[in-house]
Amino acid sequence: MCNEDDTVTQATLEEDWKLVQMSGSIPDSETTGSDMEWQESYRFFEDGNFLKSRETEGSVVELTGTYSFNEDPRSLELTYGEESEIIGSCQSDLKENLFFSSNDVLSSTWNQCDGPSLDYKKI
């Protein structure tokens, strides 16, 4: 059963999302813009597919996969079609989790296992 928040979240998701802030476990280690270790974005499509792109030192890696909402409609599970170093996950599988920390910010759960905290905004 869908409620109003599900509809808003689905409609909100179908945009391009760009990495805007990265931080590590060290206090005050936030970086933004060109100071970040890499540039990254997601593009979500209405058909349940997505494209993730990461640029590091002039090299671009792109991956595709499918996404679905978890039980909590503000939480997403992304499933990739192949292994890659750009999958930000606590598990060693092809899955990645994101959540809406606000209506216009998607955040990674990678920081729950010593990965960086990553925040994405709609562009």
Side-chain angles (χ1 to χ4, degrees):
M1 181 170 159
C2 289
N3 63 33
E4 202 170 23
D5 286 342
D6 294 345
T7 304
V8 170
T9 301
Q10 181 66 37
T12 300
L13 181 64
E14 292 162 6
E15 302 283 344
D16 291 341
W17 296 79
K18 182 177 179 179
L19 181 63
V20 294
Q21 181 174 311
M22 174 185 294
S23 59
S25 57
I26 300 168
D28 299 321
S29 64
E30 294 87 9
T31 55
T32 60
S34 61
D35 292 335
M36 294 185 295
E37 191 174 332
W38 63 79
Q39 302 298 308
E40 189 168 87
S41 65
Y42 292 96
R43 175 175 285 177
F44 294 97
F45 301 98
E46 188 176 346
D47 65 0
N49 290 296
F50 73 91
L51 169 70
K52 181 176 183 178
S53 178
R54 180 184 290 177
E55 181 178 347
T56 309
E57 297 177 4
S59 174
V60 177
V61 175
E62 291 185 334
L63 280 181
T64 59
T66 60
Y67 70 90
S68 60
F69 286 91
N70 293 319
E71 282 186 30
D72 175 354
R74 299 187 66 76
S75 175
L76 299 169
E77 181 175 87
L78 283 57
T79 304
Y80 291 88
E82 62 185 275
E83 290 188 22
S84 174
E85 71 279 357
I86 74 169
I87 299 174
S89 177
C90 293
Q91 297 88 325
S92 59
D93 57 14
L94 299 176
K95 297 192 183 297
E96 189 175 271
N97 289 286
L98 302 172
F99 66 96
F100 284 95
S101 52
S102 70
N103 279 340
D104 65 345
V105 176
L106 268 174
S107 298
S108 171
T109 61
W110 195 11
N111 63 328
Q112 295 174 357
C113 60
D114 296 330
S117 177
L118 304 172
D119 293 326
Y120 303 84
K121 285 194 105 169
K122 257 197 290 189
I123 54 172

